[in-house]
Every structure is written in structure tokens, then in C-alpha cells.
Amino acid sequence: MKISGRTLVFMVLACIALADCAALAQYSVIKGDEPRIRAILYHGDNPRALIYYQNQRHHVIDKMRLDDEWYVEQIRRESILFKKSSTQTFAEIYLNPPKRARNHRDWSFFGHPIALWEAVELLAHGFGYQALMHFQAGGAVVPGSHAANIKSLLRKILPQHHRFAVVGPLLLVLPVQPSGEEWTEVLARMKKSSPGLLTLRYPGLNKAGVIISRGDDIQFILRKISLGGKVPIQFPRDLHFPVYASFRNVPFAQILSNTVYLNQCIIIEREEGLEVTPWPRQILQRRPYADYPLIQSLPLEPQAGSGPQPPPLIPEHNLNHPIVYQNGE
């Protein structure tokens, strides 16, 4: 078989190109300190991902830097292209989820097992919602589906006995029966609250604030709102539960009202400020592990030969309700 000169030249150039590509190809060994991709919420216009890196959770988007070493160049449907500053090279890390996609359409949400709030927060940010979850909601979810909107994705990932509601720009997630109360009754009580009325007495609550809480104690959140909105807030000393909220540029009045009422508490206006207290039907259930310091009851001193004694009766007005003031007054 005769080969023309032009064909021979083309074959030689192709061999040279392949040799150059092989010489430029670089393979690196996984060291274990690379970012770990936990979930990817992909859409051509607004892809984002959840990454674990150096014992921290990161919600990342394109062109975002994790630290001086890792830079998110591009989020893809099944992988993320990183740029390493130390070597000036690119590294593509794949998600490799337990559920594989059969086809690609609309929004896709795939990942490894993650906490419910991690999934809710990622979906809320991707679709442009504020988010709030009841402290008794929770569980592990495994993202692995496609959908055209956030409601369809939520129906596919929510654990059993959980419900969600979209109220304007706010996404709410809560159990079916938190503390024995129907979830619809909790939402109905939320609708009756009037955050706007709080601003008449405390104009500082009109100020827009940012609250990102992934399990912070309610007392810590109330102190942040008190300082940001310049309003004194008091609450029972034993009021403790984790707060799961994501509010960005939202008036403090709405942050306070929504957070309090979704978690089955109410706001009472007092002469000296606002008081946050549990709704009468609310029973704060402790977790088996401590997200916050547990309040121990005071030890009783039994009298000799009298056996166990009942706790003393303390009038409610004598209970120590700490008041949070602006500027530490």
C-alpha cells in the first residue's frame, strides 16, 4: 500500500501532537487534604455545591476561593474544576454519588448522605429563598434526582413525617407534629404575628440584618438580634434549642418573628422591652447529646429522717429572666 507524501506528513504531525499531550499530562497522588464534595446543585445559570474542607462546610459557587490554595474554577454537573495556586495547575474532583443520574435535565441535585438542614440551605440559596427549619426537624438525606423547581426537589428528599411551606421568599421546614401540635397550627399562628407592629415601638428592628445559623443556641441568636435591632429582649433562663436559619438582608423584625414563632414560641411586649417565651403547648425536647450546656436543677438538702423532699414553690415573677441590653447596659 502506497502512502502519499501529504498523508505521511499528517501522520507524523499527529504522532508529535499525541506525544506532546502525553508529556504535558500530569497525574497527582491524592494526599487526603483535598476538598471533599458532598453535594452539587446544578443548573446552567446558578450551579453551587456543598464542600467539606479543613473541618468546615463551604457553600461554593463558580470563581470562589476556599483559601490561598484552592480556587473553584467551575462547578459541573458531576464534578468541580479547581485551580491550585501552589502549582498553578487545575484539578478536577468528581462527586461520585451513590445514586447515578440516568439523564440530565432541568435542575439536578446529587450527593452523598448529608444532614437535612445542609440540603435545605443549599436548595434555598440555589433558588433564591430565605430558609428556616424547626429545631425538631432533621435526619439524613441522600440527594439524587432531577426536577424543574424547588418544590419538586423538596418532595423527593424530605424525610418521612416532614412538611415544607413556601411563604413568599421564605422556605419553612418542620415536622408533621412538632411537640404534639399539628404543623398547620404552627403556620397559622405565624400568620397572625405582626412583625411590622414591633417596628413602631422599636424602629431599629427595621434595619436589615444577616443571620446564618447552623445549630446555634436560641439565646445566642436573640442576643444578636437584640444588638442589631437595638431592642432589649428577655427570655427564660432555661430556654434552649438549636436554630437553623438563613436570612440575608432581611429586617430584624421579620427574622425575630419568624424564628420565634416557627419554633413554637411567642413574643410578648413588656414595658421594659420584648419577651420571648414558649407557647403554652410547647415542650422543649432534649437531644441525647448536648448542643448547649444543660441546665442542672439545684440540689436539695433533705432533712435527716424525712426522706426525699419536693422542690420548693417559686412564684413565676421571681424567676431570673436575663435581659439583654444594647451596649452592655
Side-chain angles (χ1 to χ4, degrees), residues 139-178:
V141 299
V142 183
S145 57
H146 301 277
N149 53 66
I150 188 173
K151 294 183 178 180
S152 298
L153 286 174
L154 284 169
R155 293 189 186 99
K156 295 178 180 179
I157 68 167
L158 277 185
Q160 290 184 345
H161 311 298
H162 283 71
R163 297 293 185 269
F164 73 90
V166 178
V167 182
L170 180 60
L171 169 63
L172 306 172
V173 177
L174 64 168
V176 174
Q177 290 185 329

CSV table of all heavy atoms in Angstrom, one decimal, residues 139-178:
chain,number,residue,atom,x,y,z
A,139,GLY,N,-32.6,14.8,60.1
A,139,GLY,CA,-32.4,13.4,59.5
A,139,GLY,C,-31.5,13.5,58.4
A,139,GLY,O,-31.1,14.6,57.9
A,140,ALA,N,-31.0,12.4,57.9
A,140,ALA,CA,-30.1,12.3,56.8
A,140,ALA,C,-30.8,12.1,55.5
A,140,ALA,O,-31.9,11.4,55.5
A,140,ALA,CB,-29.1,11.1,57.0
A,141,VAL,N,-30.4,12.8,54.5
A,141,VAL,CA,-31.0,12.7,53.2
A,141,VAL,C,-29.9,12.4,52.2
A,141,VAL,O,-28.7,12.7,52.4
A,141,VAL,CB,-31.7,14.0,52.7
A,141,VAL,CG1,-32.8,14.3,53.7
A,141,VAL,CG2,-30.7,15.2,52.7
A,142,VAL,N,-30.2,11.7,51.1
A,142,VAL,CA,-29.3,11.4,50.0
A,142,VAL,C,-29.8,12.0,48.7
A,142,VAL,O,-30.7,11.4,48.1
A,142,VAL,CB,-29.1,9.8,49.8
A,142,VAL,CG1,-28.1,9.5,48.8
A,142,VAL,CG2,-28.8,9.2,51.2
A,143,PRO,N,-29.3,13.2,48.3
A,143,PRO,CA,-29.8,13.8,47.1
A,143,PRO,C,-29.5,12.9,45.9
A,143,PRO,O,-28.4,12.4,45.8
A,143,PRO,CB,-29.0,15.1,47.0
A,143,PRO,CG,-28.5,15.3,48.4
A,143,PRO,CD,-28.3,14.0,49.0
A,144,GLY,N,-30.5,12.8,45.0
A,144,GLY,CA,-30.3,12.0,43.8
A,144,GLY,C,-31.4,12.1,42.9
A,144,GLY,O,-32.1,11.1,42.6
A,145,SER,N,-31.7,13.3,42.3
A,145,SER,CA,-32.9,13.5,41.5
A,145,SER,C,-32.8,14.7,40.6
A,145,SER,O,-31.9,15.6,40.9
A,145,SER,CB,-34.2,13.5,42.3
A,145,SER,OG,-34.1,14.6,43.3
A,146,HIS,N,-33.6,14.8,39.6
A,146,HIS,CA,-33.8,16.0,38.8
A,146,HIS,C,-35.2,16.6,39.0
A,146,HIS,O,-36.1,15.8,39.3
A,146,HIS,CB,-33.6,15.6,37.3
A,146,HIS,CG,-32.3,15.0,37.0
A,146,HIS,ND1,-31.2,15.8,36.7
A,146,HIS,CD2,-31.9,13.7,36.8
A,146,HIS,CE1,-30.2,15.0,36.5
A,146,HIS,NE2,-30.6,13.7,36.5
A,147,ALA,N,-35.3,17.8,38.8
A,147,ALA,CA,-36.6,18.5,38.9
A,147,ALA,C,-36.6,19.9,38.3
A,147,ALA,O,-35.5,20.4,38.1
A,147,ALA,CB,-37.1,18.6,40.4
A,148,ALA,N,-37.8,20.4,38.1
A,148,ALA,CA,-37.8,21.7,37.4
A,148,ALA,C,-37.9,22.9,38.4
A,148,ALA,O,-37.7,24.0,38.1
A,148,ALA,CB,-39.0,21.8,36.5
A,149,ASN,N,-38.2,22.6,39.7
A,149,ASN,CA,-38.4,23.6,40.7
A,149,ASN,C,-38.1,23.1,42.1
A,149,ASN,O,-37.9,21.9,42.3
A,149,ASN,CB,-39.8,24.2,40.7
A,149,ASN,CG,-40.9,23.0,40.8
A,149,ASN,OD1,-41.0,22.4,41.8
A,149,ASN,ND2,-41.6,22.8,39.7
A,150,ILE,N,-38.0,24.0,43.0
A,150,ILE,CA,-37.6,23.6,44.4
A,150,ILE,C,-38.6,22.8,45.1
A,150,ILE,O,-38.2,21.9,45.9
A,150,ILE,CB,-37.3,24.9,45.2
A,150,ILE,CG1,-36.6,24.6,46.5
A,150,ILE,CG2,-38.5,25.7,45.4
A,150,ILE,CD1,-36.2,25.8,47.3
A,151,LYS,N,-39.9,23.0,44.8
A,151,LYS,CA,-40.9,22.1,45.5
A,151,LYS,C,-40.8,20.7,45.1
A,151,LYS,O,-40.9,19.8,46.0
A,151,LYS,CB,-42.3,22.7,45.2
A,151,LYS,CG,-42.6,24.1,45.7
A,151,LYS,CD,-44.0,24.5,45.4
A,151,LYS,CE,-44.3,25.9,46.0
A,151,LYS,NZ,-45.6,26.4,45.7
A,152,SER,N,-40.5,20.4,43.8
A,152,SER,CA,-40.4,19.0,43.4
A,152,SER,C,-39.2,18.4,44.1
A,152,SER,O,-39.2,17.2,44.5
A,152,SER,CB,-40.3,18.9,41.9
A,152,SER,OG,-41.5,19.4,41.3
A,153,LEU,N,-38.1,19.1,44.1
A,153,LEU,CA,-36.9,18.6,44.8
A,153,LEU,C,-37.1,18.3,46.3
A,153,LEU,O,-36.6,17.3,46.8
A,153,LEU,CB,-35.7,19.5,44.6
A,153,LEU,CG,-35.1,19.6,43.2
A,153,LEU,CD1,-34.0,20.6,43.1
A,153,LEU,CD2,-34.5,18.2,42.8
A,154,LEU,N,-37.8,19.2,46.9
A,154,LEU,CA,-38.0,19.0,48.4
A,154,LEU,C,-38.9,17.8,48.6
A,154,LEU,O,-38.7,17.0,49.6
A,154,LEU,CB,-38.7,20.3,48.9
A,154,LEU,CG,-37.8,21.5,49.2
A,154,LEU,CD1,-38.6,22.7,49.5
A,154,LEU,CD2,-36.8,21.2,50.3
A,155,ARG,N,-39.9,17.6,47.8
A,155,ARG,CA,-40.7,16.4,48.0
A,155,ARG,C,-40.0,15.1,47.8
A,155,ARG,O,-40.3,14.1,48.4
A,155,ARG,CB,-41.9,16.4,46.9
A,155,ARG,CG,-42.9,17.5,47.1
A,155,ARG,CD,-44.1,17.4,46.2
A,155,ARG,NE,-45.0,18.5,46.3
A,155,ARG,CZ,-45.0,19.5,45.4
A,155,ARG,NH1,-44.2,19.5,44.4
A,155,ARG,NH2,-45.8,20.5,45.6
A,156,LYS,N,-38.9,15.1,47.1
A,156,LYS,CA,-38.1,13.9,46.8
A,156,LYS,C,-37.1,13.7,47.9
A,156,LYS,O,-36.6,12.5,48.1
A,156,LYS,CB,-37.4,14.0,45.5
A,156,LYS,CG,-38.4,14.0,44.3
A,156,LYS,CD,-37.6,14.2,43.0
A,156,LYS,CE,-38.6,14.2,41.8
A,156,LYS,NZ,-37.9,14.4,40.5
A,157,ILE,N,-36.7,14.7,48.7
A,157,ILE,CA,-35.6,14.5,49.6
A,157,ILE,C,-36.1,14.6,51.1
A,157,ILE,O,-35.4,14.1,52.0
A,157,ILE,CB,-34.5,15.5,49.4
A,157,ILE,CG1,-35.0,16.9,49.8
A,157,ILE,CG2,-33.9,15.5,48.0
A,157,ILE,CD1,-33.9,17.9,50.0
A,158,LEU,N,-37.2,15.1,51.4
A,158,LEU,CA,-37.6,15.3,52.7
A,158,LEU,C,-37.9,13.9,53.4
A,158,LEU,O,-38.5,13.0,52.8
A,158,LEU,CB,-38.9,16.1,52.8
A,158,LEU,CG,-38.8,17.6,52.8
A,158,LEU,CD1,-40.2,18.2,53.0
A,158,LEU,CD2,-37.8,18.1,53.8
A,159,PRO,N,-37.4,13.8,54.6
A,159,PRO,CA,-37.6,12.5,55.4
A,159,PRO,C,-39.1,12.4,55.7
A,159,PRO,O,-39.9,13.3,55.5
A,159,PRO,CB,-36.8,12.7,56.7
A,159,PRO,CG,-35.8,13.8,56.4
A,159,PRO,CD,-36.5,14.7,55.4
A,160,GLN,N,-39.5,11.2,56.1
A,160,GLN,CA,-40.9,10.9,56.4
A,160,GLN,C,-41.3,11.8,57.6
A,160,GLN,O,-40.5,12.2,58.4
A,160,GLN,CB,-41.1,9.5,56.8
A,160,GLN,CG,-41.0,8.5,55.6
A,160,GLN,CD,-41.3,7.1,56.0
A,160,GLN,OE1,-41.3,6.7,57.2
A,160,GLN,NE2,-41.5,6.2,55.0
A,161,HIS,N,-42.6,12.1,57.6
A,161,HIS,CA,-43.2,12.9,58.7
A,161,HIS,C,-42.6,14.3,58.7
A,161,HIS,O,-42.5,14.9,59.8
A,161,HIS,CB,-43.0,12.2,60.0
A,161,HIS,CG,-43.4,10.8,60.0
A,161,HIS,ND1,-44.7,10.4,59.7
A,161,HIS,CD2,-42.7,9.6,60.2
A,161,HIS,CE1,-44.8,9.0,59.8
A,161,HIS,NE2,-43.6,8.6,60.1
A,162,HIS,N,-42.2,14.9,57.6
A,162,HIS,CA,-41.8,16.3,57.5
A,162,HIS,C,-42.6,17.0,56.4
A,162,HIS,O,-43.1,16.3,55.4
A,162,HIS,CB,-40.3,16.3,57.1
A,162,HIS,CG,-39.4,16.1,58.3
A,162,HIS,ND1,-39.2,14.8,58.9
A,162,HIS,CD2,-38.6,16.9,59.0
A,162,HIS,CE1,-38.4,14.9,59.9
A,162,HIS,NE2,-38.0,16.1,60.0
A,163,ARG,N,-42.8,18.2,56.6
A,163,ARG,CA,-43.5,19.1,55.6
A,163,ARG,C,-42.7,20.4,55.4
A,163,ARG,O,-41.9,20.8,56.2
A,163,ARG,CB,-44.9,19.4,56.1
A,163,ARG,CG,-45.8,18.2,56.4
A,163,ARG,CD,-46.2,17.5,55.0
A,163,ARG,NE,-47.1,16.4,55.2
A,163,ARG,CZ,-46.7,15.1,55.5
A,163,ARG,NH1,-45.4,14.8,55.5
A,163,ARG,NH2,-47.7,14.2,55.6
A,164,PHE,N,-43.1,21.0,54.3
A,164,PHE,CA,-42.5,22.3,54.0
A,164,PHE,C,-43.6,23.2,53.5
A,164,PHE,O,-44.6,22.8,53.0
A,164,PHE,CB,-41.4,22.1,52.9
A,164,PHE,CG,-41.9,21.9,51.5
A,164,PHE,CD1,-42.2,22.9,50.6
A,164,PHE,CD2,-42.1,20.6,51.1
A,164,PHE,CE1,-42.7,22.7,49.4
A,164,PHE,CE2,-42.6,20.3,49.8
A,164,PHE,CZ,-42.9,21.4,48.9
A,165,ALA,N,-43.3,24.5,53.6
A,165,ALA,CA,-44.2,25.6,53.1
A,165,ALA,C,-43.3,26.7,52.5
A,165,ALA,O,-42.3,27.0,53.1
A,165,ALA,CB,-45.1,26.0,54.2
A,166,VAL,N,-43.8,27.3,51.4
A,166,VAL,CA,-43.1,28.4,50.8
A,166,VAL,C,-44.0,29.6,51.0
A,166,VAL,O,-45.1,29.7,50.4
A,166,VAL,CB,-42.8,28.2,49.3
A,166,VAL,CG1,-42.2,29.4,48.7
A,166,VAL,CG2,-41.9,27.0,49.2
A,167,VAL,N,-43.6,30.5,51.9
A,167,VAL,CA,-44.4,31.7,52.2
A,167,VAL,C,-43.6,32.9,51.6
A,167,VAL,O,-42.7,33.4,52.3
A,167,VAL,CB,-44.6,31.9,53.7
A,167,VAL,CG1,-45.5,33.1,54.0
A,167,VAL,CG2,-45.3,30.6,54.2
A,168,GLY,N,-44.0,33.4,50.5
A,168,GLY,CA,-43.3,34.5,49.8
A,168,GLY,C,-41.9,34.1,49.5
A,168,GLY,O,-41.6,33.0,48.9
A,169,PRO,N,-40.9,34.9,50.0
A,169,PRO,CA,-39.5,34.5,49.8
A,169,PRO,C,-38.9,33.6,50.9
A,169,PRO,O,-37.7,33.4,50.9
A,169,PRO,CB,-38.8,35.9,49.8
A,169,PRO,CG,-39.6,36.6,50.8
A,169,PRO,CD,-41.0,36.2,50.7
A,170,LEU,N,-39.7,33.0,51.7
A,170,LEU,CA,-39.3,32.2,52.9
A,170,LEU,C,-39.7,30.8,52.7
A,170,LEU,O,-40.8,30.5,52.5
A,170,LEU,CB,-39.8,32.8,54.2
A,170,LEU,CG,-39.4,32.1,55.5
A,170,LEU,CD1,-37.9,32.1,55.7
A,170,LEU,CD2,-40.1,32.7,56.7
A,171,LEU,N,-38.7,29.9,52.9
A,171,LEU,CA,-38.9,28.4,52.8
A,171,LEU,C,-38.9,27.9,54.3
A,171,LEU,O,-37.9,28.1,55.0
A,171,LEU,CB,-37.8,27.7,52.0
A,171,LEU,CG,-37.7,26.2,52.1
A,171,LEU,CD1,-39.0,25.6,51.6
A,171,LEU,CD2,-36.5,25.7,51.4
A,172,LEU,N,-40.0,27.2,54.7
A,172,LEU,CA,-40.1,26.7,56.0
A,172,LEU,C,-40.2,25.2,56.0
A,172,LEU,O,-40.8,24.6,55.1
A,172,LEU,CB,-41.4,27.3,56.7
A,172,LEU,CG,-41.6,28.8,56.7
A,172,LEU,CD1,-43.0,29.1,57.2
A,172,LEU,CD2,-40.5,29.4,57.6
A,173,VAL,N,-39.5,24.6,56.9
A,173,VAL,CA,-39.5,23.1,57.0
A,173,VAL,C,-39.7,22.7,58.5
A,173,VAL,O,-39.1,23.3,59.4
A,173,VAL,CB,-38.1,22.5,56.5
A,173,VAL,CG1,-38.1,21.0,56.8
A,173,VAL,CG2,-37.9,22.8,55.1
A,174,LEU,N,-40.6,21.8,58.7
A,174,LEU,CA,-40.9,21.4,60.1
A,174,LEU,C,-41.5,20.0,60.1
A,174,LEU,O,-42.0,19.5,59.1
A,174,LEU,CB,-41.9,22.4,60.7
A,174,LEU,CG,-43.3,22.6,60.2
A,174,LEU,CD1,-44.1,23.4,61.2
A,174,LEU,CD2,-43.3,23.3,58.8
A,175,PRO,N,-41.5,19.4,61.3
A,175,PRO,CA,-42.1,18.0,61.4
A,175,PRO,C,-43.6,18.1,61.3
A,175,PRO,O,-44.2,19.2,61.4
A,175,PRO,CB,-41.7,17.5,62.8
A,175,PRO,CG,-40.6,18.5,63.2
A,175,PRO,CD,-40.9,19.8,62.5
A,176,VAL,N,-44.3,17.0,61.1
A,176,VAL,CA,-45.7,16.9,61.0
A,176,VAL,C,-46.4,17.3,62.3
A,176,VAL,O,-47.3,18.1,62.3
A,176,VAL,CB,-46.2,15.5,60.5
A,176,VAL,CG1,-47.7,15.5,60.5
A,176,VAL,CG2,-45.7,15.2,59.1
A,177,GLN,N,-45.8,16.8,63.4
A,177,GLN,CA,-46.4,17.1,64.7
A,177,GLN,C,-45.3,17.6,65.7
A,177,GLN,O,-44.8,16.8,66.5
A,177,GLN,CB,-47.2,16.0,65.3
A,177,GLN,CG,-48.5,15.7,64.5
A,177,GLN,CD,-49.2,14.5,65.2
A,177,GLN,OE1,-48.7,13.6,65.8
A,177,GLN,NE2,-50.6,14.6,65.1
A,178,PRO,N,-44.8,18.8,65.5
A,178,PRO,CA,-43.8,19.2,66.5
A,178,PRO,C,-44.3,19.4,67.9
A,178,PRO,O,-45.3,20.1,68.1
A,178,PRO,CB,-43.3,20.6,65.9
A,178,PRO,CG,-44.5,21.0,65.1
A,178,PRO,CD,-45.2,19.8,64.6
